[in-house]
Amino acid sequence: MIDGALAAFLQEGVGIHIATRNEALQPNGARAVAVRVEPDGEHLIVYVARVAAARILPDLESNGQAAVGFGRPVDDRACQVKGVFVGAREATEEERPQVLAQWDGFLASLEKIGIPRAATRTWVTWPAVAIRLRANALFDQTPGPGAGAPLT
């Protein structure tokens, strides 16, 4: 489902937001810090600061539906991965360098569009919760004629 080129984009340090909904179909969401696409291309781990994950985990546990948006600030390339909740656990110290490296890549891209690190210094990134999803749909979200089209 997620090929190598798309996985590279998702993991390069882009803006990530995970969206959920509750049983009344009210939206909810949280900023994610990083993502890791598993070698099978079917599963991904979305890392969300623990403080933010507490808000979305009840939705994921009750209905299992998630949409993860990815956007690169410098050129607005964007995509969305829809998926089904598989599980969640605390992120490990072994994962921390990879998570923070992606976060640093995102901050570097924000600097390129004029948002200094001083503006994001207080954003909480760790400890994090690792949310595992099984991807079931991919969409192009880059502004332009292909926006909203399925990615195959």
Side-chain angles (χ1 to χ4, degrees):
M1 170 151 284
I2 300 173
D3 65 20
L6 182 58
F9 169 69
L10 302 179
Q11 298 172 132
E12 75 178 33
V14 297
I16 306 169
H17 188 269
I18 181 169
T20 62
R21 63 163 177 84
N22 65 19
E23 292 300 322
L25 303 179
Q26 295 174 322
N28 200 356
R31 178 179 45 80
V33 180
V35 70
R36 181 172 55 87
V37 177
E38 294 184 359
D40 67 4
E42 300 290 326
H43 294 88
L44 59 155
I45 306 290
V46 181
Y47 296 92
V48 177
R50 184 190 299 154
V51 67
R55 224 177 42 242
I56 60 171
L57 285 173
D59 293 345
L60 292 169
E61 291 165 352
S62 71
N63 65 55
Q65 302 298 308
V68 186
F70 299 84
R72 186 166 53 201
V74 295
D75 62 3
D76 286 328
R77 179 180 176 192
C79 71
Q80 181 187 61
V81 177
K82 289 190 174 182
V84 176
F85 179 64
V86 175
R89 60 173 172 73
E90 291 293 317
T92 66
E93 282 300 318
E94 291 75 27
E95 294 170 305
R96 189 174 184 169
Q98 176 189 19
V99 168
L100 296 181
Q102 280 189 33
W103 180 250
D104 188 64
F106 174 58
L107 296 182
S109 69
L110 288 178
E111 285 183 299
K112 291 177 182 173
I113 63 166
I115 300 173
R117 288 182 187 250
T120 59
R121 189 169 294 130
T122 59
W123 292 1
V124 176
T125 57
W126 198 264
V129 174
I131 298 170
R132 187 169 188 243
L133 303 174
R134 182 177 42 79
N136 59 19
L138 310 171
F139 298 95
D140 183 2
Q141 295 294 311
T142 304
L151 293 172
T152 55

